[in-house]
Amino acid sequence: MIIFCVSKSVSSLLIRKLSWESVGLQSDIRRLLAKRCCPSVVQMTHVFVYGTLKKGQPNHDRMLDVSNGKSEFLCSASTVEKYPLIIAGKYNVPFLLNIPGKGQHVHGEIYSVDEKMLKFLDWFESCPHMYQRTRVLLKVEQQCGEGGEERPELGSTTEAFVYSTTTYEPDWLENTAFSSYDSYGDHGLLYVTREARDSK
């Protein structure tokens, strides 16, 4: 006979063992209780991507690689404030300069990511040395995502993390500021992937 006592908050679980028929029964019951009474909670974070991580861009596969963590597309959005989105360096990297009020309203995509993916993105973006992860206010433009998480309403404003930078060369301010990044655009500044850099 087994008696289970579970608090309403499910914060504690008391198992009083009066008798066990077998060791296997004990293991099965413990696994069942862990699954039913103590589910794990995954913390998700919203991240705004505007460059090579967007759909159709050279590094979007990083967002889809489950070995990096979990990510879910929520919606398209643009920055409420203007920022300079420029392409710079010998590898034609897109940079969002953290200079509010200059440049253009920048278009991108909001993703919901788990802690593992967030840590990967910090590493991938060389944060905090090359980019810094800060919060940005966004206006939702289009809802296209599918899945369980509730999405921001069309036309509403929401907040997300973004990888922008304050560590840039002074002459970068003279570069063209784009409202939307496309590595394959008419500007002719094709992004050089990390794999292509390593092969040279």
Side-chain angles (χ1 to χ4, degrees), residues 15-34:
I15 305 176
R16 183 181 177 185
K17 181 177 70 173
L18 300 180
S19 66
W20 296 99
E21 293 183 2
S22 68
V23 175
L25 176 61
Q26 179 178 354
S27 300
D28 290 343
I29 291 174
R30 289 187 182 279
R31 283 196 296 268
L32 177 63
L33 287 172

Side-chain angles (χ1 to χ4, degrees), residues 9-75:
S9 63
V10 200
S11 61
S12 65
L13 174 64
L14 174 62
I15 305 176
R16 183 181 177 185
K17 181 177 70 173
L18 300 180
S19 66
W20 296 99
E21 293 183 2
S22 68
V23 175
L25 176 61
Q26 179 178 354
S27 300
D28 290 343
I29 291 174
R30 289 187 182 279
R31 283 196 296 268
L32 177 63
L33 287 172
K35 185 174 182 180
R36 294 291 299 275
C37 300
C38 306
S40 59
V41 177
V42 179
Q43 182 66 39
M44 303 297 285
T45 303
H46 290 181
V47 175
F48 176 69
V49 301
Y50 56 84
T52 64
L53 292 170
K54 292 192 306 180
K55 293 179 179 180
Q57 298 304 309
N59 286 321
H60 181 63
D61 62 315
R62 316 277 183 168
M63 302 294 292
L64 305 177
D65 188 344
V66 294
S67 67
N68 296 333
K70 179 183 178 182
S71 72
E72 180 184 353
F73 173 68
L74 296 182
C75 58

Side-chain angles (χ1 to χ4, degrees), residues 160-180:
F161 281 118
V162 66
Y163 291 92
S164 59
T165 185
T166 57
T167 53
Y168 52 85
E169 300 295 329
D171 60 351
W172 288 7
L173 293 172
E174 301 174 8
N175 292 16
T176 301
F178 298 91
S179 62
S180 182

Side-chain angles (χ1 to χ4, degrees), residues 133-146:
R133 175 158 54 87
T134 58
R135 292 190 177 276
V136 65
L137 193 62
L138 304 161
K139 182 177 181 180
V140 177
E141 296 180 324
Q142 187 177 13
Q143 295 174 301
C144 299
E146 297 179 357

